[in-house]
């Protein structure tokens, strides 16, 4: 660190020049990073549900009925009133002819299918399958939303569906990020002024944060050309970058001011600051970066994106604090306290924190036991943690897609848009009709199944009796292209898909006997597979984090006991934090 300090002091103007060039370049290239990132990335590409969904979408383009859903509400009368029916058919035709829409159908186009009508007969559904992969569907949904959200004298409409909800959650994340930046910036600056008492000294940590965050935006924009990077990683980059940059800068600047106050020259003050605070910053950054790097072990792009953003922002915050910041201090010298707002009172005896530390040292056992018990009590709810996926309910209550989904969730007897898709690739739909029929009957008998749709008809229980109705017009969506094999079945649940009962339904379907191989896709199947992908690799990730941090901090402190104590305290504080979060939710 001493040699680095000498090099930075000697080349301070070059370092500052490079930073001044990098800053606007980062703004130009990384400023539009949000548009280059993916609003999706929540699925494991190798999971059964993901592979099955991709295969069904490729072979049966009209299968994606949950991509885009319009909830149509009659202003007067019911959905069977002539003027409402005419409006519903018009919406269906207009949606079906829109660019990028493969097919569209509705309650009215299917001759008044009861399942697509609400219990009070005032609402009905329009479904559309969108063309392309998940990102393409989400972008297309953004153009369709304003076209199909309307309110006139006959009907009002709300729009939902997987692509719509994902789009609006992504937009909400961007708004939250902007709001957070606007709120935290001024308050952070005020806090830094209070700490340092000087405007110049307070601006230094913010400069380091700006370099780290904008530099990370550039890294993410480049990575987005090579792999899937989630747009939600921007929230981590901004929050973590600001926090770490300020943290690291406080170490270095505070140490520099202490040394300079002792009467040493600027180069000596910088050298001593780097040997002490700089060394701490380097080891801290290494520990945090390695911990975040463990997220790359998981196969889900969403989690990997946090590894990309986290490692980049930690590294850039450390580089800025250890290279750019000392260069600025070398140029400023005593002017680091310029534009002093007030003089910070130095506590020669260490202040209140020193006195509290002395009390803890005099009575270590009572303090250790009391704090540990509190953390353990906070951690208890963590053992009741239930993992899930994001849906409309993570957004604000006034989010349009959430309002439409709540209508659909509360007013309809079954979850048509949340149907599970059963891919059956190796079957001839013409000669194996009996096998398809028998399998559909077994599925219809399972708990929490409202209906099974197949090429051979519709299957549902009525007063504990299995009803097998002949296929209707929409059943042709289960037929493969001419000359090809395979089909799929649609299992409509009557439970919330992202719930324990929804998970159990998937497990029951996968365990059902069948004369052919099949795969299960759909929202509930995604939940089951995503939880499996996370929990199966979580022990490995935690083990690597513990090992890496153990080695790094052992190299820093040279003490085995201190490292073990740090791991135990980290475990207690983390589980307490997670437990408090679970208990609050």
């Amino acid at each position: 660190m001493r040699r680095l300090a000498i090099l930075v002091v000697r080349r301070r103007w070059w370092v500052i020049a490079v930073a001044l060039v990098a800053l606007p370049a980062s703004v130009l290239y990384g400023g539009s990073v949000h548009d280059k990132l993916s609003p999706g990335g929540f699925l494991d590409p190798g999971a059964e549900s993901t592979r099955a969904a991709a295969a069904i979408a490729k072979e049966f383009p009209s299968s994606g009925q949950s991509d885009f859903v319009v909830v149509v509400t009659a202003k007067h009368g019911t959905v069977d009133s002539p003027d409402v029916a005419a409006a519903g058919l018009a919406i269906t035709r207009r949606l079906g002819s829109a660019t990028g829409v493969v097919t569209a159908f509705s309650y009215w186009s299917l001759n008044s299918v009861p399942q697509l009508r609400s219990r009070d007969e005032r609402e009905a559904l329009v479904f559309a399958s969108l063309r392309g992969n998940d990102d393409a569907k989400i972008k297309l949904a953004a153009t369709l939303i304003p076209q199909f959200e309307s309110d006139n004298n006959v009907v009002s409409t709300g729009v939902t569906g997987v692509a719509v909800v994902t789009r609006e959650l992504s937009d909400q994340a961007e708004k939250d990020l902007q709001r957070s930046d606007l709120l935290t910036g001024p308050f952070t600056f005020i806090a830094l002024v209070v700490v340092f008492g000087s405007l110049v000294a307070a601006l230094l940590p913010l400069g380091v944060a700006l370099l780290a965050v904008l530099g990370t935006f550039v890294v993410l924009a480049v990575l987005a050309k090579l792999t899937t990077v989630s747009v939600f990683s921007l929230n981590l980059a901004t929050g973590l970058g600001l926090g770490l940059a300020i943290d690291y800068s406080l170490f270095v600047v505070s140490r520099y001011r202490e040394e300079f106050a002792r009467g040493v020259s600027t180069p000596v003050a910088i050298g001593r600051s780097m040997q002490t605070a700089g060394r701490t910053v380097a080891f801290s950054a290494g520990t945090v970066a390695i911990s975040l790097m463990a997220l790359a072990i998981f196969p889900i792009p969403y989690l990997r994106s946090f590894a990309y953003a986290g490692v980049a922002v930690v590294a850039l915050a450390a580089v800025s604090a250890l290279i750019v910041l000392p260069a600025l201090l070398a140029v400023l010298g005593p002017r680091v306290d310029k534009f002093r707002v007030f003089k910070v009172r130095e506590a020669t005896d260490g202040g209140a924190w020193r006195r509290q530390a002395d009390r803890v040292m005099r009575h270590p056992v009572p303090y250790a036991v009391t704090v540990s018990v509190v953390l353990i009590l906070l951690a208890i709810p963590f053992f009741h943690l239930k993992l899930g996926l994001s849906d409309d309910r993570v957004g604000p209550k006034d989010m349009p897609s959430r309002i439409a989904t709540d209508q659909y969730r509360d007013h309809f007897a079954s979850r048509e848009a949340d149907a599970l898709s059963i891919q059956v690739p190796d079957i001839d739909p013409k000669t194996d009709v009996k096998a398809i029929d028998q399998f559909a009957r077994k599925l219809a008998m399972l708990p929490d199944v409202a209906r099974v749709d197949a090429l051979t008809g519709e299957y549902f229980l009525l007063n504990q009796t299995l009803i097998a109705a002949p296929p209707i017009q929409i059943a042709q969506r289960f037929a493969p292209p001419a000359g090809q094999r395979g089909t799929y079945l649609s299992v409509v649940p009557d439970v919330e898909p992202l719930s324990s009962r929804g998970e159990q339904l998937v497990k029951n379907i996968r365990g059902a006997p069948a004369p052919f191989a099949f795969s299960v896709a759909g929202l509930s199947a995604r939940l089951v597979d995503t939880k499996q992908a996370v929990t199966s690799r979580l022990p490995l990730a935690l083990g690597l984090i513990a090992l890496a941090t153990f080695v790094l901090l052992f190299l820093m402190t040279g003490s085995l006991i201190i490292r073990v104590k740090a791991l135990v305290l980290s475990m207690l504080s983390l589980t307490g934090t997670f437990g408090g979060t679970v208990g609050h939710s």
Side-chain angles (χ1 to χ4, degrees):
M1 282 296 175
R2 181 176 176 275
R3 289 193 293 271
L4 177 61
I6 293 173
L7 178 63
V8 169
V9 170
R10 288 177 178 174
R11 300 286 187 268
R12 54 188 178 275
W13 289 110
W14 281 104
V15 172
I16 293 173
V18 170
L20 290 176
V21 171
L23 199 58
S26 298
V27 173
L28 291 174
Y29 188 79
S32 60
V33 64
H34 181 275
D35 299 330
K36 300 174 184 177
L37 304 186
S38 169
F42 300 104
L43 309 178
D44 175 7
E48 175 186 328
S49 57
T50 307
R51 290 184 283 106
I56 293 174
K58 180 181 179 181
E59 298 167 15
F60 306 91
S62 61
S63 62
Q65 67 179 46
S66 61
D67 293 338
F68 195 87
V69 181
V70 183
V71 182
V72 181
T73 303
K75 287 293 190 68
H76 306 285
T78 69
V79 293
D80 293 313
S81 301
D83 55 345
V84 176
L89 280 172
I91 292 171
T92 308
R93 295 192 188 102
R94 187 158 56 90
L95 181 57
S97 62
T99 302
V101 176
V102 179
T103 185
F105 61 91
S106 67
Y107 167 77
W108 301 278
S109 68
L110 296 179
N111 298 321
S112 304
V113 178
Q115 294 87 350
L116 304 186
R117 184 182 59 202
S118 65
R119 296 184 186 92
D120 62 3
E121 301 184 358
R122 293 192 62 250
E123 297 166 323
L125 302 176
V126 181
F127 293 94
S129 300
L130 307 184
R131 183 173 287 110
N133 58 22
D134 287 346
D135 284 353
K137 291 178 179 180
I138 293 167
K139 291 179 181 178
L140 176 58
T143 65
L144 294 175
I145 289 171
Q147 300 178 39
F148 291 93
E149 285 184 337
S150 61
D151 190 352
N152 55 47
N153 294 331
V154 180
V155 297
S156 63
T157 61
V159 179
T160 182
V162 175
V164 177
V165 171
T166 307
R167 174 77 266 170
E168 292 190 351
L169 287 178
S170 172
D171 293 341
Q172 186 64 42
E174 183 180 18
K175 293 177 184 177
D176 291 343
L177 185 62
Q178 294 172 349
R179 188 181 301 113
S180 173
D181 291 342
L182 290 174
L183 290 175
T184 58
F187 284 109
T188 301
F189 179 68
I190 292 171
L192 290 171
V193 171
V194 172
V195 171
F196 290 117
S198 160
L199 295 180
V200 172
L203 284 171
L204 292 177
L206 292 180
V208 171
L210 196 62
L211 285 171
V213 172
L214 290 177
T216 302
F217 287 176
V218 172
V219 172
L220 294 178
V222 173
L223 286 175
K225 297 180 179 295
L226 306 174
T227 186
T228 301
V229 181
S230 171
V231 70
F232 295 96
S233 62
L234 296 179
N235 298 67
L236 175 72
T238 304
L240 189 62
L242 181 64
L244 288 180
I246 291 175
D247 191 27
Y248 295 161
S249 300
L250 283 173
F251 274 124
V252 175
V253 174
S254 296
R255 185 63 175 167
Y256 168 78
R257 295 174 78 197
E258 289 176 3
E259 293 296 334
F260 197 81
R262 294 191 175 107
V264 302
S265 64
T266 296
V268 172
I270 293 174
R272 290 179 179 177
S273 300
M274 293 287 282
Q275 285 178 296
T276 53
R279 184 169 180 267
T280 302
V281 167
F283 275 99
S284 172
T287 303
V288 176
I290 289 175
S291 299
L292 288 168
M293 198 180 298
L295 290 173
I297 293 174
F298 298 99
I300 302 170
Y302 175 79
L303 293 178
R304 287 185 171 180
S305 299
F306 284 101
Y308 306 148
V311 172
V313 77
V314 170
L316 289 172
V319 168
S320 300
L322 296 178
I323 296 178
V324 179
L325 181 59
L328 289 171
L329 292 174
V331 171
L332 289 171
R335 292 188 297 274
V336 71
D337 288 325
K338 198 176 175 80
F339 302 114
R340 183 182 293 277
V341 178
F342 59 89
K343 183 175 179 59
V344 179
R345 185 176 64 86
E346 300 291 342
T348 56
D349 61 347
W353 291 111
R354 171 61 183 273
R355 292 192 292 274
Q356 176 59 28
D358 290 339
R359 284 192 290 270
V360 172
M361 296 298 290
R362 287 195 299 269
H363 310 285
V365 175
Y367 274 99
V369 172
T370 302
V371 173
S372 297
V373 168
V374 171
L375 290 174
I376 290 171
L377 290 175
L378 286 174
I380 290 175
F382 176 70
F383 297 100
H384 301 284
L385 174 67
K386 293 182 179 180
L387 300 176
L389 295 177
S390 298
D391 64 0
D392 61 287
R393 291 170 295 182
V394 305
K397 292 184 178 180
D398 60 348
M399 189 173 74
S401 62
R402 177 169 181 176
I403 295 173
T405 307
D406 282 339
Q407 281 182 263
Y408 166 59
R409 183 182 285 120
D410 298 336
H411 301 163
F412 288 77
S414 60
R415 304 297 299 268
E416 299 293 326
D418 298 317
L420 293 166
S421 298
I422 316 299
Q423 181 204 13
V424 186
D426 299 320
I427 195 172
D428 188 333
K430 293 183 178 179
T431 60
D432 296 322
V433 172
K434 185 177 180 180
I436 298 172
D437 176 75
Q438 290 177 347
F439 185 54
R441 290 172 182 270
K442 291 178 183 177
L443 295 179
M445 298 292 290
L446 293 175
D448 298 326
V449 172
R451 193 181 73 258
V452 176
D453 295 335
L455 188 62
T456 53
E458 296 182 353
Y459 305 82
F460 55 92
L461 288 177
L462 181 62
N463 298 325
Q464 302 302 314
T465 302
L466 179 64
I467 304 297
I472 59 176
Q473 178 186 351
I474 193 62
Q476 290 304 310
R477 61 189 167 126
F478 302 111
Q484 295 187 21
R485 295 173 61 86
T487 186
Y488 77 99
L489 298 85
S490 177
V491 178
V492 180
D494 61 3
V495 295
E496 180 65 39
L498 297 183
S499 66
S500 57
R501 291 178 66 183
E503 291 182 69
Q504 188 58 50
L505 175 58
V506 173
K507 295 173 183 177
N508 291 340
I509 293 174
R510 287 175 173 171
F516 39 68
F518 66 90
S519 301
V520 183
L523 196 56
S524 298
R526 291 180 182 181
L527 175 60
V528 172
D529 292 342
T530 301
K531 289 176 68 172
Q532 172 61 25
V534 172
T535 56
S536 63
R537 303 197 185 190
L538 186 59
L540 175 60
L542 294 176
L544 291 176
I545 292 172
L547 177 62
T549 54
F550 186 92
V551 172
L552 273 177
L553 292 183
F554 178 75
L555 292 175
M556 179 182 178
T557 63
S559 170
L560 183 64
I561 295 177
I562 291 177
R563 183 54 251 158
V564 171
K565 181 178 70 174
L567 284 176
V568 172
L569 292 176
S570 296
M571 182 181 68
L572 280 174
S573 60
L574 283 174
T575 52
T577 301
F578 292 149
T581 302
V582 173
H584 177 71
S585 61

